[in-house]
């Protein structure tokens, strides 16, 4: 095993994330100032695109990390048949779900039913398509709707908290299907679709507009919803981390590769696919 992945196996992932979460939530002026300034300097973060343009404008590190954009800086592609990118980041992988397998990295794939923690749901996405978007620490960390749809269910799945960068993806089997995640299921004009928010090392939490911030439990949490959301609406956010995975059924007849490819930098709101209506 790669040394970086091996170290992650040895560290107390949950305890480390809980500790980081407590620090990140602190509104102590000295703690928050030190964390925000160090992070902004380390990742060369500029605030030109954000509603609050000064580091001192944020109440905590979490508030800074989930900072909101200025109105209009991420235009939403409004063509009816276009699927948009749900987040700023990098296309980690993109393609078709063949025989139930999703590509994780070169030479590694994982099962769609395992990712969703429900093999019946996984069967629905057989021969569908997927896009995996990696959100780097410097990115905007809110996740938006890639399509119009009705949120009908969420499923919180406890798990490990490995880093989700390329190095780990290349060396840790079933990475995204092992890490903590929130599965969001939608009814759309082209069938059932899903967006999976995957946690990572030091991720202090995952939140959705339907559930609020998820309380970690050792068991799966199933919730039903009836919430209509438009393309571009906020769906959720990460408190540090991580990765968003979009799953479409075969009935969507989507062609990702006409718009995006592996390793491409993307921004929330841009067209990344062409779906059948």
């Amino acid at each position: 095993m790669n040394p970086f992945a091996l170290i992650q196996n040895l560290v107390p992932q949950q305890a480390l994330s809980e500790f980081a979460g407590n620090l990140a939530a602190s509104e102590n002026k000295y703690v928050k100032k030190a964390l925000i300034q160090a992070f902004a300097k380390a990742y060369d973060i500029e605030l030109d695109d954000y509603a609050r343009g000064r580091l001192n404008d944020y109440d905590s590190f979490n508030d800074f990390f989930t900072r909101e954009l200025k109105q209009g800086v991420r235009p939403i592609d409004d063509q009816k048949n276009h699927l948009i990118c749900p987040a700023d980041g990098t296309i980690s992988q993109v393609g078709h779900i063949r025989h139930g397998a999703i590509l994780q990295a070169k030479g590694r794939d994982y099962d769609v039913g395992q990712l969703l923690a429900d093999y019946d749901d996984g069967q629905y996405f057989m021969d569908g398509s997927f896009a995996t978007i990696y959100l780097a620490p410097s990115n905007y960390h809110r996740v938006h709707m890639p399509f119009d749809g009705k949120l009908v269910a969420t499923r919180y799945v406890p798990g490990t908290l490995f880093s989700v960068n390329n190095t780990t993806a290349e060396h840790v089997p079933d990475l995204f299907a092992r890490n903590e995640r929130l599965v969001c299921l939608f009814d759309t004009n082209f069938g059932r679709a899903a967006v999976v928010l995957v946690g990572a090392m030091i991720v202090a939490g995952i939140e959705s507009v339907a559930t609020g911030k998820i309380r970690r439990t050792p068991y799966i949490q199933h919730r039903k919803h009836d919430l209509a959301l438009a393309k571009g609406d906020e769906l959720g956010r990460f408190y540090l981390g991580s990765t968003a995975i979009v799953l479409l059924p075969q009935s969507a007849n989507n062609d990702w590769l006409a718009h995006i490819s592996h390793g491409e930098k993307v921004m929330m709101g841009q067209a990344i696919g062409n779906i059948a209506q």
Side-chain angles (χ1 to χ4, degrees):
M1 180 178 284
N2 173 270
F4 180 60
L6 179 60
I7 289 170
Q8 293 181 65
N9 267 303
L10 296 176
V11 301
Q13 297 175 344
Q14 294 285 348
L16 184 59
S17 290
E18 291 295 334
F19 175 73
N22 289 334
L23 279 180
S26 174
E27 295 186 6
N28 179 284
K29 63 180 181 180
Y30 301 109
V31 173
K32 71 167 186 174
K33 182 177 180 180
L35 291 175
I36 291 172
Q37 289 187 347
F39 191 87
K41 182 177 181 180
Y43 291 101
D44 195 24
I45 294 173
E46 300 289 341
L47 296 177
D48 295 345
D49 285 353
Y50 295 94
R52 290 174 282 172
R54 300 181 306 162
L55 297 180
N56 291 335
D57 290 340
Y58 297 90
D59 295 332
S60 67
F61 180 79
N62 275 343
D63 187 35
F64 168 72
F65 195 79
T66 58
R67 57 197 178 272
E68 67 274 29
L69 292 166
K70 287 179 182 175
Q71 192 74 23
V73 297
R74 296 289 186 278
I76 306 300
D77 184 286
D78 60 1
Q79 289 199 43
K80 187 176 180 180
N81 65 328
H82 279 182
L83 188 91
I84 66 162
C85 189
D88 288 5
T90 303
I91 299 297
S92 174
Q93 296 294 341
V94 61
H96 297 288
I97 303 168
R98 304 192 185 282
H99 308 293
I102 299 176
L103 181 64
Q104 175 176 298
K106 186 177 181 180
R108 288 194 183 277
D109 53 31
Y110 60 96
D111 187 90
V112 63
Q114 186 183 359
L115 173 69
L116 298 173
D118 187 298
Y119 284 93
D120 289 336
D121 282 345
Q123 287 292 317
Y124 184 82
F125 290 98
M126 290 286 182
D127 301 316
S129 58
F130 77 96
T132 304
I133 300 101
Y134 168 67
L135 287 69
S138 59
N139 285 132
Y140 168 62
H141 269 77
R142 299 190 186 192
V143 178
H144 293 250
M145 288 290 292
F147 40 70
D148 295 332
K150 180 187 290 184
L151 178 66
V152 294
T154 55
R155 181 179 300 130
Y156 165 76
V157 186
T160 55
L161 289 169
F162 286 102
S163 169
V164 289
N165 61 24
N166 284 336
T167 301
T168 310
E170 290 170 0
H171 292 92
V172 176
D174 303 324
L175 172 63
F176 302 120
R178 291 170 63 182
N179 267 16
E180 176 185 62
R181 56 203 180 276
L182 181 67
V183 177
C184 301
L185 296 169
F186 302 90
D187 283 341
T188 76
N189 290 338
F190 52 84
R192 180 64 58 92
V195 178
V196 183
L197 308 181
V198 184
M201 181 71 73
I202 317 183
V203 169
I206 300 172
E207 177 178 326
S208 82
V209 293
T211 62
K213 191 172 181 181
I214 296 292
R215 180 177 63 86
R216 281 191 170 120
T217 58
Y219 52 84
I220 294 176
Q221 300 175 31
H222 298 275
R223 300 185 190 183
K224 292 184 178 180
H225 308 280
D226 185 16
L227 179 62
L229 294 166
K231 181 168 68 172
D233 284 352
E234 184 178 338
L235 172 62
R237 60 186 70 175
F238 291 110
Y239 292 91
L240 295 178
S242 186
T243 293
I245 302 172
V246 180
L247 302 177
L248 298 179
Q250 185 180 25
S251 59
N253 193 28
N254 179 58
D255 184 7
W256 303 103
L257 301 181
H259 293 268
I260 54 171
S261 58
H262 167 68
E264 184 176 338
K265 301 289 185 184
V266 287
M267 300 184 82
M268 191 279 289
Q270 77 176 73
I272 58 172
N274 202 34
I275 53 179
Q277 294 288 336

